[in-house]
Amino acid sequence: FVTSMVDALGEALSRGSRLPIEDKLMIHKHHQFQANVKLMNDLVDRIIQERRTSGEDLSQKKDLLSYMLTGVDKQSGEQLDDTNIRYQIITFLIAGHETTSGLLSFTIYQLLHHHAILQKAYEEVDRVLGADLSAKPTFNQVNQLHYVTQILKESLRLWPTAPAFALYPREGEAIIGGKYKITADDDVAVLIPMLHRDREIWGDNAEEFDPDRLTVEKEQQLPPNAYKPFGNGHRACIGRQFALQEAT
């Protein structure tokens, strides 16, 4: 499953940079992509069906799948159908695989180059989780690892693993104080590492790794569009909290 997932992600990204005629000629790639998609769909559909027919009280199971199977929209009263649930699960798995592993890689690199920060992280982990290395962290304990979360957020500031997103205007307008005119046919790419290094927001040490700049209090004081590691608006990453929990 993981191989199919990674291959499908790679091919989906490659298709965005190829000409339509190239896609038509790459018959083997197309068939392999469809096979990978089918494998993922079939496996997730089977898991959903097994959960539905398990006879368990789904409202008592506290996991993502059960929440999606039993959740009801407060405004419309509707529930997610099984196809939608399948798409959400695959999105979580694919989007959370490469990006979270990238976040951890960047974070470990930073910790190895900042010994004082690493030591402070050790101290928090030892205080919260205790000395028994065989004990698995609980949900509540993970939520108490505030400094570790700051480290991850600062890593996402400097090296966001999804480093750009694009915006389209609804109609023609001028941006940046009227300096640049764009039309509804234009798209504007936001380069997140550049956004996150704006010295007017982050100070003259914007290039430095400093988790203390992303405490809960300081993050709340940031301008609305200064920190965007999970994208923007209604299409921002649905798995933001899940990813941070997992990475922590």
Side-chain angles (χ1 to χ4, degrees):
F1 182 89
V2 173
T3 300
S4 295
M5 183 176 70
V6 174
D7 288 348
L9 175 61
E11 173 61 11
L13 292 172
S14 296
R15 288 184 174 197
S17 60
R18 289 201 298 251
L19 295 173
I21 186 64
E22 291 181 275
D23 277 329
K24 291 181 179 179
L25 294 173
M26 302 178 90
I27 298 173
H28 175 73
K29 283 273 189 185
H30 176 74
H31 288 325
Q32 185 61 56
F33 180 71
Q34 293 302 320
N36 288 332
V37 170
K38 185 178 186 305
L39 186 149
M40 290 188 292
N41 287 346
D42 289 349
L43 177 60
V44 174
D45 286 346
R46 187 165 68 250
I47 291 171
I48 293 170
Q49 197 57 36
E50 288 174 355
R51 180 64 65 86
R52 280 202 184 278
T53 59
S54 66
E56 299 177 86
D57 183 354
L58 299 183
S59 65
Q60 298 303 310
K61 280 189 77 71
K62 304 298 183 183
D63 62 25
L64 184 63
L65 177 54
S66 291
Y67 284 133
M68 287 193 287
L69 288 170
T70 60
V72 178
D73 184 85
K74 293 179 180 179
Q75 292 182 333
S76 68
E78 296 180 357
Q79 290 183 282
L80 295 175
D81 60 50
D82 286 0
T83 302
N84 196 325
I85 292 173
R86 174 221 289 167
Y87 291 149
Q88 299 302 335
I89 289 174
I90 291 176
T91 296
F92 263 86
L93 290 173
I94 292 182
H97 179 269
E98 291 295 302
T99 49
T100 304
S101 63
L103 166 58
L104 293 175
S105 298
F106 285 124
T107 302
I108 291 170
Y109 174 87
Q110 294 289 357
L111 289 174
L112 291 175
H113 285 77
H114 297 84
H115 294 170
I117 294 172
L118 177 59
Q119 183 58 40
K120 190 173 178 180
Y122 273 135
E123 291 169 359
E124 179 179 70
V125 169
D126 290 341
R127 184 180 72 254
V128 173
L129 302 186
D132 183 1
L133 298 181
S134 65
K136 294 182 179 180
T138 66
F139 179 80
N140 288 332
Q141 285 176 321
V142 171
N143 284 335
Q144 294 175 46
L145 295 172
H146 303 301
Y147 190 66
V148 171
T149 301
Q150 289 171 217
I151 290 170
L152 291 165
K153 287 182 176 180
E154 176 68 349
S155 183
L156 281 169
R157 183 184 72 83
L158 286 173
W159 299 108
T161 50
F165 59 85
L167 298 170
Y168 296 82
R170 292 181 182 274
E171 56 189 30
E173 59 180 290
I175 60 174
I176 311 181
K179 187 175 182 181
Y180 300 103
K181 293 182 179 180
I182 55 176
T183 72
D185 295 324
D186 296 323
D187 64 280
V188 179
V190 179
L191 304 179
I192 306 175
M194 296 294 292
L195 173 69
H196 289 176
R197 288 170 165 81
D198 186 341
R199 293 180 184 273
E200 291 186 16
I201 304 298
W202 304 99
D204 291 336
N205 67 339
E207 298 282 346
E208 297 178 12
F209 184 75
D210 179 12
D212 286 332
R213 73 171 87 241
L214 281 167
T215 62
V216 173
E217 295 75 21
K218 289 183 179 179
E219 190 175 359
Q220 290 173 345
Q221 294 171 7
L222 290 172
N225 297 304
Y227 186 65
K228 293 282 187 175
F230 290 95
N232 184 65
H234 290 299
R235 296 186 183 275
C237 177
I238 191 176
R240 174 174 183 154
Q241 286 306 118
F242 177 81
L244 287 174
Q245 285 277 341
E246 184 181 35
T248 301

